[in-house]
Amino acid sequence: MSSGADLFVVCKQCGSEVSPYITECPYCGHRLRRRAPDLPREKAAGSPRRPRWLRLPSFGRSKPAAVRRPRRAGSVQGAGRWTVERPYATIALVAASCAVWVLWHAKPDLYFRMAIVGPLHGEWWKLFTSEFAYVYGLYAFVAIVTVAIFGWLLERRHGPAVVLALFFGAGVAGALAASALYSVPVISGGNGAALALLAAWAAPDLRAARAGSYYEGDLRGAAAICVLLLAMPFALAFSEASWLAGVTGGVLGLVVGFGMHRLDPVER
């Protein structure tokens, strides 16, 4: 029999009052019950009970949650393997182009020392310096802004070495193609290098668009800039920009872009 609900029970063997949460009498050892009753659980204040359909089953021992390592401030994760803080190669190319533009206004003969006007005659360095020489401000603005935008995007994806190699490689290839076709070539500015960077960046999105899959890039905006750069040699009174150099740079950029996309497993 029990006396005082939930306070104590009376042992039938010796008549002692014992706790209701034990199975044997501590005085005589008489068996009171088969198992001890469940202890009442108190709910924590302010923590509502989660519905049954929201509870996750636990299989064995619970594993600790994965800890994410914080990224460094200023770091940017690109679509590929590279993670860069600043597009240093693109900044250097844009700064060099702007510096040459300012120096040309202070010293006009600097243009003829850097640009290709006529045969090279052993002045091989003009293959590299001609990409920074501009006369018209509109041409310089369009080409330098294109290099800044797509050089930065490509540097995020593949790193600075690819941007520098593609910039100078496309410029040299376009200058050599124009010099081989024309007896008196006039080649200056970075339209070929800018089109190479644009085409290399757009190559993965072109492949995705052709396959009907999802892509993030704005191909319409890139196509508008591409048409503007290709039409620039025909819009200028003094055609300092070579259309052949631009086409050569664009084709080279597409080849490099498709090649890197096939070789890089992260982008595929």
Side-chain angles (χ1 to χ4, degrees):
M1 60 180 292
S2 62
S3 175
D6 296 334
L7 294 180
F8 57 87
V9 294
V10 178
C11 178
K12 297 180 180 180
Q13 184 70 21
C14 62
S16 301
E17 297 177 353
V18 297
S19 172
Y21 301 107
I22 60 177
T23 57
E24 295 180 357
C25 177
Y27 301 101
C28 63
H30 177 68
R31 185 78 172 179
L32 299 176
R33 63 184 69 200
R34 293 184 178 180
R35 62 175 184 175
D38 296 332
L39 297 175
R41 298 181 179 180
E42 297 181 359
K43 295 183 180 180
S47 60
R49 187 177 181 84
R50 183 177 298 181
R52 184 179 297 274
W53 61 276
L54 286 179
R55 301 177 195 172
L56 297 177
S58 58
F59 301 97
R61 190 174 182 180
S62 60
K63 298 181 180 179
V67 180
R68 291 185 178 180
R69 295 183 179 180
R71 291 187 297 162
R72 291 185 299 174
S75 62
V76 179
Q77 290 186 353
R81 299 170 299 173
W82 284 86
T83 302
V84 295
E85 294 182 356
R86 297 289 186 273
Y88 294 109
T90 305
I91 292 174
L93 295 175
V94 172
S97 301
C98 296
V100 171
W101 170 259
V102 174
L103 292 175
W104 173 79
H105 285 78
K107 194 174 182 180
D109 61 339
L110 181 64
Y111 174 81
F112 296 97
R113 296 181 181 179
M114 300 182 64
I116 299 177
V117 182
L120 287 175
H121 294 304
E123 297 176 339
W124 57 267
W125 62 85
K126 290 185 177 181
L127 295 174
F128 299 92
T129 59
S130 60
E131 304 171 22
F132 301 97
Y134 297 94
V135 172
Y136 289 97
L138 178 61
Y139 174 40
F141 176 78
V142 174
I144 293 175
V145 169
T146 304
V147 171
I149 295 175
F150 294 98
W152 167 60
L153 294 174
L154 197 64
E155 190 169 352
R156 290 180 58 191
R157 184 181 295 174
H158 298 290
V162 173
V163 173
L164 293 175
L166 192 59
F167 181 88
F168 289 106
V172 171
L176 289 176
S179 299
L181 182 63
Y182 297 100
S183 58
V184 184
V186 178
I187 307 166
S188 65
N191 62 330
L195 284 170
L197 295 175
L198 186 153
W201 172 83
D205 291 342
L206 289 174
R207 182 182 293 273
R210 184 178 180 182
S213 56
Y214 174 77
Y215 60 92
E216 296 181 354
D218 186 5
L219 292 180
R220 293 182 180 179
I225 298 175
C226 178
V227 171
L228 182 60
L229 283 173
L230 290 176
M232 194 67 66
F234 305 99
L236 301 177
F238 170 66
S239 183
E240 60 170 328
S242 173
W243 67 270
L244 184 56
V247 172
T248 304
V251 172
L252 182 60
L254 284 177
V255 172
V256 173
F258 285 130
M260 290 188 300
H261 179 70
R262 291 179 63 88
L263 294 177
D264 196 348
V266 178
E267 292 190 14
R268 287 184 296 172

